[in-house]
């Protein structure tokens, strides 16, 4: 897959994952904690692989390209 997740986007995804894990942990016994854990897992995987399948479909790319000659 083509990489489309930049470094700032990765940091944001890790922060969202941490918040989702914390929120899931605080909602023990609720069915929402599994949803929040799933969101956290997706955010971590997309950050590590630098690829977001949804952004591939929509054409979004947050990696800064280096122009030749600049």
């Amino acid at each position: 897959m083509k990489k489309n997740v930049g470094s700032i986007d990765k940091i944001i995804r890790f922060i969202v994952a941490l918040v989702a894990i914390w929120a899931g942990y605080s909602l023990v016994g609720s069915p929402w904690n599994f949803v929040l854990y799933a969101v956290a897992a997706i955010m971590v995987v997309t950050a590590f692989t630098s690829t977001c399948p949804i952004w591939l479909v929509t054409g979004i790319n947050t990696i800064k390209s280096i122009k030749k000659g600049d």
Side-chain angles (χ1 to χ4, degrees), residues 4-54:
N4 61 0
V5 176
S7 58
I8 294 174
D9 193 8
K10 286 181 186 182
I11 293 168
I12 292 170
R13 288 172 187 267
F14 280 122
I15 292 170
V16 169
L18 289 174
V19 170
I21 290 169
W22 173 79
Y25 182 73
S26 65
L27 294 174
V28 174
S30 170
W32 285 103
N33 63 347
F34 296 111
V35 173
L36 291 168
Y37 290 146
V39 167
I42 291 168
M43 290 292 152
V44 169
V45 168
T46 57
F48 275 124
T49 61
S50 299
T51 303
C52 179
I54 294 173

Side-chain angles (χ1 to χ4, degrees), residues 64-70:
K64 292 183 180 180
S65 61
I66 300 172
K67 295 181 182 179
K68 293 182 179 178
D70 285 345

